[in-house]
Amino acid sequence: MTREYDFKSIETRWKDHWISTRAYSAPDFPDPDKKAYTLTMYPYPSGDLHMGHVEIFSIHDTIARFARMGGHQVLNPIGWDAFGLPAENAAIQRGIDPKKWTYDNIAMHRASMEQLGCSFDWDRVVITCDPDYYKWNQWFFLRFYERGLAYRKAAPANWCPKDKTVLANEQVVDGRCERCGTLVEKRNLTQWFFKITDYADRLLDDMALNTGWNDRLRMLQRNWIGRSHGAEVEFELEGAKYPVTIFTTRPDTLWGATFFVIAPEHPLVDELVRGTGREQELAEFRREVDSLTEIDRTSTERAKKGMFLGRSAINPVNGENMPVWIADYVLMDYGTGAIMAVPAHDQRDFEFARSHDLEIRPVIRPPQGTEPDGASMTEAYVGPGTLVNSGPFDGTSTESSVEEVTRWLESEGRGRAAKNFRIRDWLISRQRYWGTPIPMIYCEDHGEVPVPDADLPVVLPEDIDFTPSDEASPLANAHEWVTVPCPVCGKPARRDTDTMDTFVDSSWYYHRYLDPHNDEMPFDPEKSARWMPMDQYTGGIEHAVLHLIYARFVQKVLVDMGMAKDPEPFPNLLNHGIVTMGGKRMSKSRGNIVEPLEAFDLYGADALRLYMLFSGPPEAPFDWPAEGVAAIGNVTAPWLQRVWRLCEENRDVVHVGELNQGPAEHALRKHIHRTVKIVTDDYRSFSFNTAIARLMELVNQAYRYKKVGGNHPEVMSELVVTVLKLLAPMAPYLTEEQWHRLGHESSIHETPWPDFDPSLAALDEVTLVVQINGKVRDTMQVPPGLTEEELVTRALVSEKVQKYLDGKDPSKTIVRPPGLVSFVVG
RNA sequence: GGGCGAGUGGUGGAAUGGCAGACACGCUGGCUUCAGGUGCCAGUGCGCGCAAGCGUGUGGGGGUUCAAAUCCCCCCUCGCCCACCA
């Protein structure tokens, strides 16, 4: 009796069963040879799950379940990135308690994850807004402070006027706030930083250890860290007490330096201008620069503005005087904020020299042609060549000149080899409420005093007015909380009222899963070492320069603290593409949301999972078709029905007697074993769409076999069991249900992955393709394993081939076993 | 301005030097059905042809090769990253 595939009751039943039996709980101490730590980036709980989550969870859960069936002990935890602005904004706009809002959303998320069939270990949930978690953010902050890796400084910071908080450089995209798109302003503020720049070299060099990263991600990080090699050179400046250091990647062009430029904000500028009578002019120039937005200021389209300071600098290589300028194209926060200008060989300097009538002196002669002439050049020459007008280095090739000049500078005591980085220290202070309080106290007598470990956590006060303002952080409104005795002297002091960037939370959470209930330490390094490094991480490419760079940095600090052993935490990372509809990110205001709940209701979790997996490779972006959820009803839902019926119709087949196979059975068995081989490879390379395609072919073949009267019990039994197992990681519910209907007591997800018999998986004929002059002229079926001579003989038998050869002998014959012969004739 | 990636039927995609379009969706026709839906079967890149077949075809142009979606050069389009980065 065939029963309908009632996915609703099946999915609900198994979901509850897996939860109540804690089916996916992992041990603390796994067998080192069998452990597999699979993780997906924890979500931010703003509302319920959306289709982007569904895609990543479908991919990720398939990977975790495949590892489990492959005989691994799998740790597959989940948690929530629960601090952050959306909770606070919901609170401000709708008067909801941010904590309640967050936990309500987490509950919705969790229900949807369970419904989707995610094999998470629910005993290890980590929620970052829980004091048991953020206590350890504070503990790490104090350890960083002790190691000189957390420091406070006044600096121009990126300020988002809408969110009313500062942002890290990584959170500013094209001069705008990454979250809300508002133009970012610069503000001078005293803020806490983590010294990620100390780790810049290691962050770059250790990337080689991340063998399971794609090139795109590597490149994004490399660009962001932005290491360049060159030299630091010291210049004496008239009117300055100390020499000024510049960084250049082209020390070999030093003899072509004809002026010196400093950033307008450089602290030295006031000192230099004092007494030159140009103070008024300077103030005006700065006002003009200040009035520009960051976007305008850094636009290469704009003409470069500058002002002569009335001072000169001495070129250390030849003692020449060069005029000192300030110009808006020199940036305070890159390099040293000062440059030597070589207009003949740098396009920016060239443009500036032309518009301000400064000398252009070529010092590189191109390999061909003549020495450029400064007066007639139309653009800077940046190519290779031979040094000229360069004192002792005349005649040196640019291939070696950078190195040689640097050595010379070092021996003369005028400079040294240097590296420069684009990456800035990580600004972690936020002037917002819903985050980890920074555990520092400011005392009139003792300055900044760390909160003693014994007083952790510094708990976020509740019931305060958290409306943000331009003047103070919301926590400043918690007057009773702010005022605290100084840990040193006991006199009244004030707490830091800023909270930490939420990326601090996510930079070490993957260790907390390994010891989630520890109240003595953030995690026991022993326990962590049993599961780390992570075996497979999955997440979005949008975190390429945010989470992934911060977490790698913190991991390296953990190594230095002796709390971790692996320099790289995530050697294998799978990036999934973004999910859109009509090419646009789904959002309520656009009305282009495809709802997971509707999909669960109409087609079931298995059909939804399978649909996401079948739509293309995991890395590719995924654009929902216009029909929305209904697409599932056309694609994977009917196919699952087909699988269901196949199982039901063959449920009663049992092993009976000898395996007397006819040719049809033999062909079908071969198909089964070939499918196991190919689908297993597809799983390993995350090619789930083709794995599903191969399973569809096998199921089609089974229906065809039955249609012609095939009914061999053993072969059909093997087929049904194999299809169920190969499908189990992707469609966990249907396969579990059918597994039990076949009479098994235990879960299909705990059974071993199927093996294949290589002799059955091998093809027993191959298609021989015969080409003449590069065109396919005939194909024929031949046994595998023929020698090259035999293949040629077979090819020549063909009438079509003979027709195209037209009696001529091939002038060339190429044979590529197992199935290609190519003739070339006259 | 620099760098990286992509461009294949009506659609999602497959093939990474060796039969282009696997597997699906859609569409067309047929069977089942009172009908709709479901289910099942067949066809489906384009051109000519009743068909067998022939030609043609992976953004455009050129090249390498017996053989190119795949490798190389130029161009176009789209996406992403970096960007007055010294």
Side-chain angles (χ1 to χ4, degrees):
Chain A
M1 171 72 199
T2 305
R3 247 188 284 173
E4 272 299 292
Y5 171 41
D6 177 8
F7 61 83
K8 258 189 199 166
S9 71
I10 290 168
E11 295 186 351
T12 304
R13 188 149 36 83
W14 286 115
K15 176 195 74 159
D16 292 343
H17 178 79
W18 294 332
I19 295 165
S20 65
T21 57
R22 301 169 63 239
Y24 303 109
S25 291
D28 281 347
F29 297 104
D31 180 339
D33 298 327
K34 289 187 177 169
K35 72 104 183 170
Y37 181 8
T38 62
L39 187 67
T40 184
M41 293 175 190
Y42 63 0
Y44 185 85
S46 55
D48 200 355
L49 290 191
H50 56 68
M51 279 301 180
H53 294 120
V54 170
E55 191 202 22
I56 184 60
F57 291 143
S58 299
I59 293 165
H60 173 78
D61 195 58
T62 297
I63 292 170
R65 286 180 179 277
F66 174 65
R68 186 178 302 275
M69 290 179 77
H72 288 95
Q73 279 178 300
V74 175
L75 171 64
N76 188 35
I78 190 68
W80 281 274
D81 185 16
F83 268 141
L85 270 183
E88 200 172 331
N89 288 339
I92 294 158
Q93 286 155 20
R94 289 176 270 154
I96 312 162
D97 174 19
K99 192 173 179 179
K100 180 177 177 349
W101 184 88
T102 301
Y103 279 92
D104 286 352
N105 285 336
I106 287 173
M108 278 202 289
H109 263 205
R110 177 165 175 166
S112 292
M113 289 170 179
E114 290 173 349
Q115 186 75 50
L116 190 62
C118 295
S119 57
F120 290 135
D121 181 345
W122 295 109
D123 294 335
R124 293 173 182 266
V125 167
V126 164
I127 297 175
T128 58
C129 65
D130 184 337
D132 288 344
Y133 184 81
Y134 69 70
K135 172 182 178 179
W136 303 113
N137 283 342
Q138 295 169 341
W139 186 89
F140 277 122
F141 178 95
L142 297 172
R143 298 296 86 76
F144 277 41
Y145 182 73
E146 289 160 6
R147 304 178 75 86
L149 292 172
Y151 67 94
R152 207 160 70 116
K153 77 165 181 195
N158 306 301
W159 174 265
C160 173
K162 179 151 178 285
D163 289 340
K164 297 199 190 301
T165 183
V166 298
L167 302 168
N169 280 355
E170 287 81 355
Q171 288 158 332
V172 180
V173 178
D174 294 334
R176 291 169 185 277
C177 172
E178 179 222 15
R179 287 197 38 74
C180 65
T182 309
L183 274 176
V184 165
E185 300 167 358
K186 286 281 181 193
R187 279 202 172 189
N188 268 304
L189 289 166
T190 301
Q191 303 283 287
W192 284 98
F193 292 83
F194 281 171
K195 218 160 189 300
I196 194 169
T197 52
D198 273 8
Y199 287 74
D201 270 320
R202 285 161 73 180
L203 285 168
L204 260 182
D205 297 338
D206 289 351
M207 217 128 56
L209 301 169
N210 292 329
T211 49
W213 281 32
N214 62 46
D215 292 343
R216 177 171 145 74
L217 183 56
R218 264 183 243 275
M219 193 195 60
L220 290 177
Q221 291 225 346
R222 206 173 292 135
N223 278 349
W224 188 262
I225 298 166
R227 180 166 64 192
S228 50
H229 295 272
E232 283 176 358
V233 188
E234 282 170 12
F235 284 70
E236 302 285 344
L237 257 64
E238 179 197 354
K241 290 193 198 84
Y242 306 103
V244 175
T245 303
I246 61 110
F247 173 79
T248 176
T249 54
R250 292 297 303 276
D252 56 333
T253 61
L254 259 166
W255 281 264
T258 53
F259 54 103
F260 192 92
V261 193
I262 307 178
E265 307 90 333
H266 200 292
L268 188 64
V269 171
D270 287 305
E271 196 183 323
L272 289 173
V273 166
R274 199 170 299 136
T276 60
R278 292 169 192 263
E279 290 86 346
Q280 188 63 32
E281 197 189 338
L282 174 65
E284 274 167 33
F285 184 82
R286 280 182 170 161
R287 244 197 313 281
E288 207 178 322
V289 170
D290 277 349
S291 70
L292 296 170
T293 65
E294 277 298 295
I295 292 177
D296 288 336
R297 167 95 193 259
T298 54
S299 162
T300 50
E301 308 298 312
R302 257 183 58 260
K304 298 169 183 17
K305 287 194 167 59
M307 174 194 152
F308 178 50
L309 291 186
R311 298 287 194 177
S312 63
I314 300 161
N315 188 335
V317 298
N318 55 15
E320 278 184 24
N321 279 342
M322 314 186 296
V324 177
W325 287 65
I326 54 173
D328 56 1
Y329 78 95
V330 173
L331 309 173
M332 190 55 221
D333 57 5
Y334 186 78
T336 62
I339 63 160
M340 66 167 188
V342 185
H345 304 294
D346 180 284
Q347 186 59 23
R348 294 152 299 170
D349 297 345
F350 180 87
E351 286 166 21
F352 191 80
R354 273 280 181 271
S355 56
H356 294 91
D357 207 19
L358 292 157
E359 186 193 350
I360 296 171
R361 184 193 302 172
V363 290
I364 310 278
R365 183 171 54 215
Q368 276 98 32
T370 53
E371 194 170 316
D373 165 40
S376 62
M377 285 173 85
T378 54
E379 58 178 8
Y381 178 71
V382 295
T386 309
L387 268 59
V388 293
N389 301 323
S390 295
F393 291 94
D394 280 355
T396 310
S397 155
T398 45
E399 270 177 39
S400 60
S401 59
V402 169
E403 215 174 296
E404 288 183 36
V405 172
T406 304
R407 262 203 303 275
W408 181 79
L409 285 169
E410 278 172 0
S411 68
E412 297 284 310
R414 299 188 183 281
R416 63 208 73 85
K419 282 180 283 197
N420 193 48
F421 293 92
R422 206 198 73 94
I423 193 171
R424 302 287 80 156
D425 276 338
W426 175 13
L427 196 174
I428 62 136
S429 302
R430 293 291 179 278
Q431 291 68 47
R432 294 302 300 246
Y433 166 71
W434 191 235
T436 305
I438 293 177
M440 287 304 256
I441 293 167
Y442 305 101
C443 168
E444 267 182 36
D445 296 340
H446 297 94
E448 60 186 39
V449 180
V451 172
D453 281 8
D455 294 348
L456 298 182
V458 176
V459 177
L460 194 60
E462 295 182 22
D463 292 329
I464 65 160
D465 175 13
F466 27 69
T467 312
S469 79
D470 281 353
E471 286 71 41
S473 300
L475 283 179
N477 299 330
H479 303 289
E480 283 179 29
W481 179 87
V482 170
T483 311
V484 66
C486 167
V488 178
C489 63
K491 285 202 334 199
R494 289 177 59 82
R495 290 190 186 280
D496 196 304
T497 55
D498 287 348
T499 52
M500 294 184 205
D501 182 5
T502 55
F503 281 104
V504 174
D505 311 0
S506 54
S507 63
W508 67 278
Y509 78 116
Y510 51 93
H511 285 284
R512 183 69 180 174
Y513 287 135
L514 311 178
D515 193 10
H517 310 296
N518 196 329
D519 54 9
E520 304 285 320
M521 303 174 76
F523 57 88
D524 177 354
E526 289 275 305
K527 283 189 181 174
S528 169
R530 289 299 193 103
W531 284 105
M532 288 294 283
M534 196 179 294
D535 294 274
Q536 185 65 52
Y537 201 22
T538 51
I541 191 90
E542 69 273 17
H543 288 113
V545 289
L546 290 159
H547 163 58
L548 286 173
I549 217 153
Y550 297 139
R552 293 181 59 227
F553 157 61
V554 169
Q555 173 76 10
K556 289 170 196 309
V557 179
L558 291 175
V559 170
D560 292 352
M561 290 169 68
M563 292 185 68
K565 60 183 181 1
D566 313 291
E568 287 293 321
F570 325 119
N572 299 300
L573 177 67
L574 177 65
N575 286 122
H576 66 93
I578 59 161
V579 177
T580 53
M581 190 178 191
K584 298 260 162 48
R585 230 172 232 289
M586 291 187 193
S587 74
K588 280 190 190 127
S589 56
R590 284 199 193 91
N592 64 345
I593 290 193
V594 184
E595 290 282 356
L597 289 180
E598 190 188 347
F600 290 147
D601 193 46
L602 292 175
Y603 307 106
D606 277 352
L608 174 58
R609 289 170 64 118
L610 218 49
Y611 184 77
M612 305 303 292
L613 294 170
F614 189 52
S615 69
E619 305 85 353
F622 174 47
D623 198 41
W624 269 91
E627 65 259 43
V629 166
I632 303 166
N634 290 333
V635 183
T636 48
W639 185 69
L640 281 175
Q641 294 273 2
R642 202 166 147 81
V643 173
W644 176 268
R645 281 199 317 277
L646 184 73
C647 295
E648 286 292 299
E649 288 165 13
N650 293 283
R651 183 139 51 85
D652 299 326
V653 301
V654 285
H655 288 261
V656 282
E658 294 281 296
L659 188 55
N660 294 320
Q661 289 176 189
E665 283 76 24
H666 178 70
L668 189 53
R669 283 202 79 204
K670 287 191 72 78
H671 196 149
I672 294 168
H673 285 255
R674 206 159 55 244
T675 303
V676 174
K677 181 178 192 294
I678 296 171
V679 167
T680 304
D681 284 345
D682 282 347
Y683 266 98
R684 291 197 179 120
S685 55
F686 310 128
S687 184
F688 306 119
N689 56 333
T690 55
I692 294 166
R694 298 292 87 81
L695 286 168
M696 286 173 167
E697 282 173 337
L698 182 57
V699 169
N700 288 345
Q701 200 57 45
Y703 272 97
R704 246 169 259 140
Y705 166 78
K706 287 184 72 72
K707 202 183 174 200
V708 297
N711 194 24
H712 195 288
E714 280 218 351
V715 175
M716 281 314 292
S717 165
E718 183 178 15
L719 183 130
V720 167
V721 166
T722 305
V723 167
L724 287 177
K725 285 198 174 199
L726 296 180
L727 188 58
M730 300 190 273
Y733 289 118
L734 179 146
T735 52
E736 184 82 315
E737 173 70 14
Q738 278 297 338
W739 188 248
H740 283 77
R741 286 176 172 243
L742 289 172
H744 297 95
E745 295 290 319
S746 62
S747 169
I748 191 170
H749 304 292
E750 302 292 337
T751 63
W753 194 249
D755 271 329
F756 62 89
D757 176 343
S759 65
L760 281 170
L763 294 168
D764 53 8
E765 26 173 51
V766 297
T767 304
L768 173 61
V769 176
V770 188
Q771 298 181 340
I772 291 153
N773 289 344
K775 284 195 188 295
V776 175
R777 291 306 183 187
D778 201 10
T779 61
M780 61 195 82
Q781 298 306 117
V782 301
L786 294 184
T787 64
E788 296 197 6
E789 291 73 24
E790 285 167 334
L791 285 170
V792 173
T793 310
R794 299 263 184 160
L796 288 171
V797 168
S798 155
E799 278 177 33
K800 284 185 195 164
V801 170
Q802 286 302 328
K803 187 180 120 198
Y804 281 98
L805 285 177
D806 197 21
K808 284 175 247 168
D809 274 340
S811 59
K812 195 170 175 185
T813 302
I814 296 108
V815 189
R816 289 281 176 279
L820 185 104
V821 173
S822 180
F823 295 117
V824 187
V825 288

